[in-house]
Coordinates of all heavy atoms in Angstrom, one line a residue:
M104 N 66.2 -91.0 84.4 CA 65.9 -89.8 83.7 C 64.7 -90.0 82.8 O 64.6 -91.0 82.1 CB 67.1 -89.4 82.8 CG 66.9 -88.3 81.9 SD 68.4 -87.9 81.0 CE 69.1 -86.7 82.1
P105 N 63.7 -89.1 82.8 CA 62.5 -89.3 82.0 C 62.8 -89.2 80.5 O 63.6 -88.4 80.1 CB 61.5 -88.2 82.5 CG 62.4 -87.2 83.2 CD 63.6 -87.9 83.6
A106 N 62.0 -89.9 79.7 CA 62.1 -89.9 78.3 C 61.5 -88.5 77.8 O 60.6 -88.0 78.4 CB 61.4 -91.0 77.6
S107 N 62.0 -88.0 76.8 CA 61.5 -86.8 76.2 C 60.2 -87.1 75.4 O 60.1 -88.1 74.8 CB 62.5 -86.0 75.4 OG 62.9 -86.7 74.3
V108 N 59.3 -86.1 75.4 CA 58.1 -86.3 74.6 C 58.0 -85.1 73.7 O 58.2 -84.0 74.1 CB 56.9 -86.3 75.5 CG1 55.6 -86.3 74.7 CG2 56.9 -87.4 76.5
S109 N 57.8 -85.4 72.4 CA 57.6 -84.3 71.4 C 56.2 -84.0 71.1 O 55.3 -84.8 71.5 CB 58.4 -84.6 70.1 OG 57.6 -85.5 69.4
L110 N 55.9 -82.9 70.5 CA 54.5 -82.5 70.2 C 53.9 -83.5 69.2 O 52.7 -83.4 69.0 CB 54.5 -81.1 69.7 CG 54.8 -80.0 70.7 CD1 54.8 -78.6 70.1 CD2 53.9 -80.1 71.9
S111 N 54.7 -84.3 68.5 CA 54.2 -85.2 67.5 C 53.8 -86.6 68.2 O 53.3 -87.4 67.5 CB 55.1 -85.4 66.4 OG 56.3 -86.0 66.8
D112 N 54.1 -86.7 69.4 CA 53.8 -88.0 70.1 C 52.3 -88.0 70.6 O 51.8 -87.0 71.0 CB 54.7 -88.1 71.4 CG 56.1 -88.4 71.0 OD1 56.4 -88.9 69.9 OD2 57.0 -88.1 71.8
T113 N 51.8 -89.2 70.7 CA 50.5 -89.4 71.3 C 50.8 -90.2 72.6 O 51.5 -91.2 72.6 CB 49.6 -90.2 70.4 OG1 49.3 -89.5 69.2 CG2 48.2 -90.5 71.1
I114 N 50.3 -89.7 73.7 CA 50.6 -90.3 75.0 C 49.3 -90.6 75.7 O 48.2 -90.1 75.4 CB 51.5 -89.3 75.9 CG1 50.7 -88.0 76.1 CG2 52.8 -89.1 75.2 CD1 51.4 -87.1 77.1
Y115 N 49.4 -91.4 76.8 CA 48.2 -91.7 77.6 C 48.7 -91.7 79.0 O 49.8 -92.0 79.4 CB 47.6 -93.0 77.2 CG 48.4 -94.2 77.6 CD1 48.2 -94.9 78.8 CD2 49.4 -94.7 76.7 CE1 48.9 -96.0 79.1 CE2 50.2 -95.8 77.1 CZ 49.9 -96.4 78.3 OH 50.7 -97.5 78.6
A116 N 47.7 -91.5 79.9 CA 48.0 -91.5 81.4 C 46.7 -91.8 82.1 O 45.6 -91.4 81.7 CB 48.6 -90.2 81.8
L117 N 46.9 -92.3 83.3 CA 45.7 -92.5 84.2 C 45.5 -91.1 84.8 O 46.4 -90.5 85.3 CB 46.1 -93.5 85.3 CG 45.0 -93.8 86.3 CD1 43.8 -94.4 85.6 CD2 45.5 -94.8 87.3
A118 N 44.3 -90.6 84.7 CA 44.0 -89.3 85.2 C 43.2 -89.3 86.5 O 42.7 -88.3 87.0 CB 43.2 -88.5 84.2
T119 N 43.1 -90.5 87.1 CA 42.3 -90.7 88.4 C 43.3 -90.6 89.5 O 44.5 -91.1 89.4 CB 41.7 -92.1 88.3 OG1 40.9 -92.2 87.1 CG2 40.8 -92.3 89.5
A120 N 42.9 -90.1 90.6 CA 43.7 -90.1 91.8 C 44.1 -91.5 92.3 O 43.3 -92.4 92.1 CB 43.0 -89.3 92.9
P121 N 45.3 -91.6 92.9 CA 45.6 -92.9 93.4 C 44.7 -93.5 94.5 O 44.0 -92.7 95.2 CB 47.0 -92.7 94.1 CG 47.5 -91.4 93.5 CD 46.3 -90.6 93.1
G122 N 44.5 -94.8 94.5 CA 43.6 -95.4 95.5 C 42.5 -96.1 94.8 O 42.5 -96.3 93.6
R123 N 41.5 -96.5 95.6 CA 40.4 -97.3 95.1 C 39.3 -96.3 94.6 O 39.1 -95.3 95.2 CB 39.9 -98.2 96.2 CG 40.9 -99.2 96.7 CD 40.3 -100.0 97.8 NE 39.3 -100.8 97.3 CZ 38.9 -102.0 97.8 NH1 39.5 -102.4 98.9 NH2 38.0 -102.7 97.3
A124 N 38.7 -96.7 93.5 CA 37.7 -95.9 92.9 C 36.8 -96.8 92.0 O 37.2 -97.8 91.5 CB 38.3 -94.8 92.0
G125 N 35.5 -96.3 91.9 CA 34.6 -97.0 91.1 C 34.8 -96.8 89.6 O 34.4 -97.6 88.8
V126 N 35.4 -95.6 89.3 CA 35.6 -95.2 87.9 C 37.0 -94.8 87.8 O 37.6 -94.0 88.6 CB 34.7 -94.0 87.5 CG1 35.0 -93.5 86.1 CG2 33.2 -94.4 87.6
A127 N 37.7 -95.2 86.7 CA 39.0 -94.8 86.4 C 38.9 -94.0 85.1 O 38.1 -94.3 84.2 CB 39.9 -96.0 86.1
V128 N 39.7 -92.9 85.0 CA 39.7 -92.0 83.8 C 41.1 -92.2 83.2 O 42.1 -91.9 83.8 CB 39.5 -90.6 84.2 CG1 39.6 -89.7 83.0 CG2 38.1 -90.4 84.9
L129 N 41.1 -92.6 81.9 CA 42.3 -92.7 81.1 C 42.3 -91.5 80.1 O 41.3 -91.4 79.4 CB 42.4 -94.0 80.4 CG 42.4 -95.2 81.3 CD1 42.1 -96.5 80.5 CD2 43.8 -95.4 81.9
R130 N 43.3 -90.8 80.0 CA 43.4 -89.6 79.1 C 44.4 -89.9 78.0 O 45.6 -90.3 78.3 CB 43.7 -88.4 79.8 CG 43.6 -87.1 79.0 CD 43.7 -85.9 79.8 NE 42.5 -85.7 80.7 CZ 42.5 -85.3 81.9 NH1 43.6 -85.0 82.5 NH2 41.4 -85.2 82.6
I131 N 44.0 -89.7 76.7 CA 44.9 -89.9 75.6 C 45.1 -88.6 74.9 O 44.1 -87.9 74.7 CB 44.3 -90.9 74.6 CG1 44.0 -92.2 75.3 CG2 45.2 -91.1 73.4 CD1 42.9 -93.1 74.6
S132 N 46.3 -88.1 74.7 CA 46.5 -86.8 74.2 C 47.6 -86.8 73.1 O 48.6 -87.5 73.2 CB 47.1 -85.9 75.4 OG 47.2 -84.6 75.0
G133 N 47.3 -86.1 72.0 CA 48.2 -86.0 70.9 C 47.5 -86.2 69.6 O 46.3 -86.5 69.5
P134 N 48.3 -86.2 68.5 CA 47.7 -86.3 67.1 C 47.1 -87.6 66.8 O 46.2 -87.7 66.0 CB 48.9 -86.0 66.2 CG 50.1 -86.3 67.0 CD 49.8 -86.0 68.4
G135 N 47.4 -88.7 67.6 CA 46.8 -90.0 67.3 C 45.6 -90.3 68.2 O 45.0 -91.4 68.2
A136 N 45.2 -89.3 69.1 CA 44.2 -89.6 70.1 C 42.8 -90.0 69.4 O 42.2 -90.9 69.9 CB 43.9 -88.4 71.0
G137 N 42.5 -89.4 68.3 CA 41.2 -89.7 67.7 C 41.2 -91.1 67.1 O 40.3 -91.9 67.2
A138 N 42.4 -91.5 66.5 CA 42.5 -92.8 65.9 C 42.4 -93.9 67.0 O 41.8 -95.0 66.8 CB 43.8 -93.0 65.1
V139 N 43.1 -93.6 68.1 CA 43.0 -94.6 69.3 C 41.6 -94.7 69.8 O 41.1 -95.8 70.0 CB 44.0 -94.1 70.4 CG1 43.7 -95.0 71.7 CG2 45.4 -94.2 70.0
L140 N 40.9 -93.6 69.9 CA 39.5 -93.6 70.4 C 38.6 -94.4 69.5 O 37.9 -95.3 69.9 CB 39.0 -92.2 70.6 CG 37.6 -92.1 71.2 CD1 37.4 -92.8 72.5 CD2 37.2 -90.6 71.3
S141 N 38.7 -94.1 68.2 CA 38.0 -94.8 67.2 C 38.3 -96.3 67.2 O 37.3 -97.2 67.1 CB 38.2 -94.3 65.8 OG 37.5 -95.0 64.8
A142 N 39.5 -96.7 67.4 CA 39.9 -98.1 67.4 C 39.3 -98.9 68.6 O 38.8 -100.0 68.5 CB 41.4 -98.3 67.5
V143 N 39.3 -98.2 69.8 CA 38.7 -98.9 71.0 C 37.2 -98.9 70.9 O 36.5 -99.6 71.7 CB 39.2 -98.4 72.3 CG1 40.7 -98.6 72.4 CG2 38.8 -97.0 72.6
M144 N 36.6 -98.1 70.0 CA 35.1 -98.1 69.8 C 34.8 -98.9 68.6 O 33.7 -98.7 67.9 CB 34.7 -96.6 69.6 CG 34.8 -95.7 70.8 SD 34.4 -94.0 70.4 CE 32.8 -94.1 69.7
S145 N 35.6 -99.9 68.2 CA 35.3 -100.8 67.1 C 35.3 -100.1 65.8 O 34.5 -100.5 64.9 CB 34.1 -101.6 67.3 OG 34.2 -102.5 68.4
G146 N 36.0 -99.0 65.6 CA 36.1 -98.3 64.3 C 34.9 -97.3 64.1 O 34.8 -96.8 63.0
R147 N 34.1 -97.1 65.1 CA 32.9 -96.2 65.0 C 33.5 -94.8 64.8 O 34.6 -94.5 65.2 CB 32.0 -96.3 66.2 CG 31.3 -97.6 66.3 CD 30.2 -97.4 67.4 NE 29.7 -98.7 67.8 CZ 30.1 -99.5 68.8 NH1 31.1 -99.1 69.5 NH2 29.6 -100.6 69.0
E148 N 32.6 -93.9 64.3 CA 32.9 -92.5 64.2 C 33.1 -91.9 65.6 O 32.5 -92.4 66.6 CB 31.8 -91.7 63.5 CG 31.7 -91.9 62.0 CD 30.7 -91.0 61.4 OE1 30.5 -89.9 61.9 OE2 30.1 -91.5 60.4
L149 N 33.9 -90.9 65.7 CA 34.1 -90.2 67.0 C 32.8 -89.6 67.5 O 32.0 -89.1 66.7 CB 35.2 -89.2 66.9 CG 36.6 -89.7 66.5 CD1 37.6 -88.5 66.3 CD2 37.1 -90.6 67.6
P150 N 32.6 -89.6 68.8 CA 31.4 -88.9 69.3 C 31.5 -87.4 69.1 O 32.6 -86.9 68.8 CB 31.4 -89.3 70.8 CG 32.8 -89.6 71.1 CD 33.4 -90.1 69.8
P151 N 30.3 -86.7 69.2 CA 30.4 -85.2 69.1 C 31.3 -84.7 70.1 O 31.4 -85.2 71.3 CB 28.9 -84.8 69.4 CG 28.1 -86.0 69.1 CD 29.0 -87.2 69.4
P152 N 32.1 -83.6 69.8 CA 33.0 -83.0 70.8 C 32.3 -82.6 72.1 O 31.2 -82.1 72.1 CB 33.5 -81.8 70.1 CG 33.4 -82.1 68.6 CD 32.1 -82.9 68.5
R153 N 33.0 -82.9 73.2 CA 32.7 -82.5 74.5 C 31.3 -83.0 75.0 O 30.6 -82.4 75.8 CB 32.7 -80.9 74.7 CG 34.1 -80.4 74.5 CD 34.1 -78.9 74.4 NE 33.6 -78.4 73.1 CZ 34.2 -78.5 71.9 NH1 35.4 -79.1 71.9 NH2 33.7 -78.0 70.8
R154 N 30.9 -84.2 74.5 CA 29.7 -84.9 75.0 C 30.1 -86.3 75.4 O 30.8 -87.0 74.6 CB 28.7 -84.9 73.9 CG 28.2 -83.5 73.5 CD 27.0 -83.6 72.7 NE 26.6 -82.3 72.3 CZ 25.4 -81.8 72.5 NH1 24.5 -82.5 73.0 NH2 25.2 -80.5 72.1
A155 N 29.6 -86.7 76.5 CA 29.9 -88.1 77.0 C 29.0 -89.1 76.1 O 27.9 -88.8 75.9 CB 29.5 -88.2 78.4
Y156 N 29.7 -90.2 75.7 CA 29.0 -91.2 74.9 C 29.3 -92.6 75.5 O 30.4 -92.9 75.7 CB 29.6 -91.1 73.5 CG 29.1 -92.0 72.5 CD1 27.8 -91.8 71.9 CD2 29.8 -93.1 72.1 CE1 27.3 -92.7 71.0 CE2 29.3 -94.0 71.1 CZ 28.1 -93.8 70.6 OH 27.6 -94.7 69.7
L157 N 28.2 -93.3 75.8 CA 28.3 -94.6 76.4 C 28.5 -95.6 75.2 O 27.7 -95.7 74.3 CB 27.1 -95.0 77.2 CG 27.0 -96.3 77.9 CD1 28.1 -96.4 78.9 CD2 25.7 -96.6 78.5
T158 N 29.6 -96.5 75.3 CA 29.9 -97.4 74.3 C 30.7 -98.6 74.8 O 31.4 -98.5 75.8 CB 30.7 -96.7 73.2 OG1 30.9 -97.6 72.1 CG2 32.0 -96.2 73.7
P159 N 30.5 -99.7 74.1 CA 31.5 -100.8 74.4 C 32.9 -100.4 74.0 O 33.1 -99.8 73.0 CB 31.0 -102.0 73.6 CG 29.6 -101.6 73.1 CD 29.5 -100.1 73.1
L160 N 33.8 -100.9 74.8 CA 35.3 -100.6 74.5 C 35.9 -102.0 74.3 O 35.7 -102.9 75.0 CB 35.9 -99.9 75.7 CG 35.3 -98.6 76.1 CD1 35.8 -98.1 77.4 CD2 35.5 -97.6 75.0
V161 N 36.6 -102.0 73.1 CA 37.1 -103.3 72.7 C 38.6 -103.3 72.5 O 39.2 -102.2 72.3 CB 36.5 -103.8 71.3 CG1 35.0 -103.9 71.4 CG2 36.9 -102.8 70.2
D162 N 39.2 -104.4 72.6 CA 40.6 -104.6 72.2 C 40.7 -104.5 70.7 O 40.1 -105.3 70.0 CB 41.1 -106.0 72.7 CG 42.5 -106.3 72.3 OD1 43.1 -105.6 71.5 OD2 43.0 -107.4 72.7
P163 N 41.4 -103.5 70.1 CA 41.4 -103.4 68.7 C 42.1 -104.5 68.0 O 41.8 -104.8 66.8 CB 42.3 -102.1 68.5 CG 42.4 -101.4 69.8 CD 42.1 -102.5 70.8
V164 N 42.9 -105.3 68.6 CA 43.6 -106.4 68.0 C 42.7 -107.7 68.0 O 42.5 -108.3 67.0 CB 45.0 -106.7 68.6 CG1 45.6 -107.9 68.0 CG2 45.9 -105.5 68.5
G165 N 42.3 -108.0 69.2 CA 41.5 -109.3 69.3 C 40.0 -109.1 69.2 O 39.3 -110.1 69.2
C166 N 39.5 -107.8 69.2 CA 38.1 -107.5 69.1 C 37.3 -108.0 70.3 O 36.1 -108.1 70.2 CB 37.5 -108.0 67.8 SG 38.3 -107.3 66.3
E167 N 38.0 -108.3 71.4 CA 37.3 -108.7 72.6 C 36.7 -107.5 73.3 O 37.5 -106.5 73.5 CB 38.2 -109.5 73.5 CG 37.7 -109.9 74.8 CD 38.7 -110.5 75.7 OE1 39.9 -110.7 75.3 OE2 38.3 -110.8 76.9
T168 N 35.5 -107.5 73.8 CA 35.0 -106.4 74.6 C 35.6 -106.4 75.9 O 35.7 -107.4 76.6 CB 33.4 -106.6 74.7 OG1 32.8 -106.5 73.4 CG2 32.9 -105.4 75.6
L169 N 36.2 -105.3 76.3 CA 36.9 -105.1 77.5 C 36.1 -104.5 78.6 O 36.2 -104.8 79.8 CB 38.2 -104.2 77.3 CG 39.1 -104.7 76.3 CD1 40.2 -103.7 76.0 CD2 39.8 -106.0 76.7
D170 N 35.2 -103.6 78.3 CA 34.4 -102.9 79.2 C 33.3 -102.1 78.5 O 33.3 -102.1 77.2 CB 35.2 -101.9 80.0 CG 34.6 -101.4 81.4 OD1 33.4 -101.8 81.6 OD2 35.3 -100.7 82.1
R171 N 32.4 -101.5 79.2 CA 31.4 -100.6 78.6 C 31.6 -99.3 79.5 O 31.5 -99.3 80.7 CB 30.0 -101.1 78.8 CG 29.0 -100.3 78.1 CD 27.7 -101.0 78.1 NE 26.7 -100.2 77.4 CZ 25.4 -100.1 77.7 NH1 25.0 -100.8 78.7 NH2 24.6 -99.3 77.1
G172 N 31.9 -98.2 78.8 CA 32.2 -97.0 79.5 C 31.9 -95.7 78.7 O 31.4 -95.8 77.6
L173 N 32.1 -94.6 79.4 CA 31.9 -93.3 78.7 C 33.2 -92.9 78.0 O 34.3 -93.1 78.6 CB 31.5 -92.3 79.8 CG 30.2 -92.5 80.5 CD1 30.0 -91.4 81.6 CD2 29.0 -92.4 79.5
V174 N 33.0 -92.3 76.8 CA 34.2 -91.7 76.1 C 33.8 -90.3 75.8 O 32.7 -89.9 75.7 CB 34.5 -92.5 74.8 CG1 34.9 -93.9 75.1 CG2 33.4 -92.5 73.8
L175 N 34.8 -89.5 75.8 CA 34.7 -88.0 75.5 C 35.8 -87.7 74.5 O 36.9 -88.2 74.6 CB 34.8 -87.1 76.7 CG 33.7 -87.3 77.7 CD1 34.1 -88.1 78.9 CD2 33.1 -86.0 78.1
W176 N 35.5 -86.8 73.6 CA 36.4 -86.4 72.5 C 36.5 -84.8 72.6 O 35.5 -84.1 72.6 CB 35.8 -86.8 71.2 CG 36.6 -86.3 70.0 CD1 36.0 -85.6 68.9 CD2 38.0 -86.4 69.6 NE1 37.0 -85.3 68.0 CE2 38.2 -85.8 68.4 CE3 39.0 -87.0 70.3 CZ2 39.4 -85.7 67.8 CZ3 40.3 -87.0 69.7 CH2 40.5 -86.3 68.5
F177 N 37.7 -84.4 72.7 CA 38.0 -83.0 72.8 C 39.0 -82.6 71.6 O 40.3 -82.7 71.8 CB 38.7 -82.6 74.1 CG 37.8 -82.9 75.3 CD1 38.1 -84.1 76.0 CD2 36.8 -82.1 75.7 CE1 37.3 -84.5 77.1 CE2 36.1 -82.4 76.9 CZ 36.3 -83.6 77.5
P178 N 38.6 -82.3 70.5 CA 39.5 -82.0 69.4 C 40.2 -80.7 69.6 O 39.7 -79.7 70.1 CB 38.6 -81.9 68.1 CG 37.2 -81.6 68.6 CD 37.2 -82.2 70.0
G179 N 41.5 -80.7 69.3 CA 42.3 -79.4 69.4 C 41.9 -78.5 68.2 O 41.4 -78.9 67.2
P180 N 42.2 -77.2 68.4 CA 42.8 -76.6 69.5 C 41.9 -76.1 70.6 O 42.2 -75.4 71.5 CB 43.4 -75.3 68.8 CG 42.4 -75.0 67.7 CD 41.9 -76.3 67.2
D181 N 40.6 -76.7 70.5 CA 39.6 -76.3 71.5 C 39.6 -77.2 72.8 O 38.6 -77.3 73.4 CB 38.2 -76.2 70.9 CG 38.2 -75.2 69.8 OD1 38.8 -74.2 69.9 OD2 37.4 -75.4 68.8
S182 N 40.7 -77.8 73.1 CA 40.8 -78.7 74.3 C 41.6 -77.9 75.3 O 42.2 -76.8 75.1 CB 41.5 -80.0 73.9 OG 42.9 -79.8 73.7
F183 N 41.7 -78.5 76.5 CA 42.4 -77.8 77.6 C 43.9 -77.8 77.4 O 44.6 -77.0 78.0 CB 42.0 -78.4 79.0 CG 41.9 -79.9 79.0 CD1 43.0 -80.7 79.2 CD2 40.7 -80.5 78.8 CE1 42.9 -82.1 79.2 CE2 40.6 -81.9 78.8 CZ 41.7 -82.7 79.0
T184 N 44.4 -78.6 76.5 CA 45.9 -78.6 76.2 C 46.2 -78.0 74.9 O 47.3 -77.8 74.5 CB 46.4 -80.0 76.3 OG1 45.8 -80.8 75.2 CG2 46.3 -80.7 77.6
G185 N 45.1 -77.8 74.1 CA 45.3 -77.3 72.7 C 45.6 -78.3 71.7 O 45.6 -78.1 70.5
E186 N 45.6 -79.6 72.1 CA 45.8 -80.7 71.2 C 44.6 -81.7 71.3 O 43.8 -81.5 72.2 CB 47.1 -81.4 71.4 CG 47.3 -82.0 72.8 CD 48.7 -82.5 73.1 OE1 49.5 -82.5 72.2 OE2 48.9 -83.0 74.2
D187 N 44.5 -82.6 70.4 CA 43.5 -83.6 70.4 C 43.6 -84.4 71.7 O 44.7 -84.9 72.1 CB 43.5 -84.6 69.2 CG 43.2 -83.9 67.9 OD1 42.6 -82.8 67.9 OD2 43.4 -84.5 66.9
V188 N 42.4 -84.6 72.4 CA 42.4 -85.3 73.7 C 41.2 -86.2 73.7 O 40.1 -85.8 73.3 CB 42.4 -84.4 74.9 CG1 42.2 -85.2 76.2 CG2 43.6 -83.5 74.9
A189 N 41.4 -87.4 74.1 CA 40.2 -88.4 74.3 C 40.3 -88.9 75.8 O 41.4 -89.0 76.3 CB 40.3 -89.6 73.4
E190 N 39.1 -89.1 76.3 CA 39.0 -89.6 77.7 C 38.2 -90.9 77.7 O 37.2 -90.9 77.0 CB 38.4 -88.6 78.7 CG 39.3 -87.5 79.0 CD 38.8 -86.6 80.1 OE1 37.6 -86.9 80.6 OE2 39.4 -85.6 80.5
L191 N 38.6 -91.9 78.4 CA 37.9 -93.1 78.6 C 37.5 -93.2 80.1 O 38.4 -93.1 81.0 CB 38.7 -94.3 78.3 CG 39.4 -94.4 76.9 CD1 40.2 -95.6 76.7 CD2 38.3 -94.3 75.8
H192 N 36.3 -93.2 80.4 CA 35.8 -93.4 81.8 C 35.3 -94.8 82.0 O 34.3 -95.2 81.4 CB 34.7 -92.4 82.1 CG 35.1 -91.0 82.0 ND1 35.0 -90.1 83.1 CD2 35.7 -90.2 81.1 CE1 35.5 -88.9 82.8 NE2 35.9 -89.0 81.5
V193 N 36.1 -95.6 82.6 CA 35.9 -97.1 82.7 C 35.7 -97.5 84.1 O 36.0 -96.8 85.1 CB 37.0 -97.8 82.0 CG1 37.1 -97.5 80.5 CG2 38.4 -97.6 82.7
H194 N 35.3 -98.8 84.3 CA 35.2 -99.3 85.7 C 36.5 -99.4 86.3 O 37.5 -99.9 85.7 CB 34.5 -100.7 85.6 CG 33.0 -100.5 85.2 ND1 32.6 -100.7 83.9 CD2 31.9 -100.2 85.9 CE1 31.3 -100.5 83.9 NE2 30.9 -100.2 85.1
G195 N 36.7 -98.9 87.5 CA 37.9 -98.9 88.2 C 38.3 -100.2 88.8 O 39.3 -100.5 89.1

């Protein structure tokens, strides 16, 4: 039985189709999406809404660079779900 999700939860999911791909898209949605995005960008300010921004992506705990990819920020209520959404486009 699936766990329930409330509107106060921040969730993430792989948004790429199954199989092999050169790029994987991770989508983060909910009230903590902006904080998560800022954390993987080494605490930098969020990019301008709806614009792709190339940046190093880091492990927020160990500060190790994990990848260099595109990030996008879609603040609610002007996103496709109506809530804050961040996307990470990383090497697949």
Side-chain angles (χ1 to χ4, degrees):
M104 176 177 266
S107 64
V108 177
S109 77
L110 294 177
S111 63
D112 290 335
T113 299
I114 60 173
Y115 71 94
L117 184 62
T119 308
R123 297 176 70 153
V126 175
V128 178
L129 300 164
R130 189 168 291 140
I131 306 158
S132 186
V139 171
L140 182 57
S141 179
V143 298
M144 294 173 54
S145 295
R147 291 188 193 95
E148 286 187 32
L149 297 175
R153 292 169 291 287
R154 293 191 186 233
Y156 180 76
L157 181 63
T158 185
L160 301 169
V161 301
D162 173 353
V164 176
C166 299
E167 175 186 359
T168 299
L169 303 172
D170 199 356
R171 185 171 181 214
L173 294 174
V174 298
L175 292 104
W176 171 235
F177 303 97
D181 298 326
S182 70
F183 41 85
T184 62
E186 58 188 356
D187 290 347
V188 175
E190 287 187 1
L191 308 176
H192 295 237
V193 298
H194 292 96

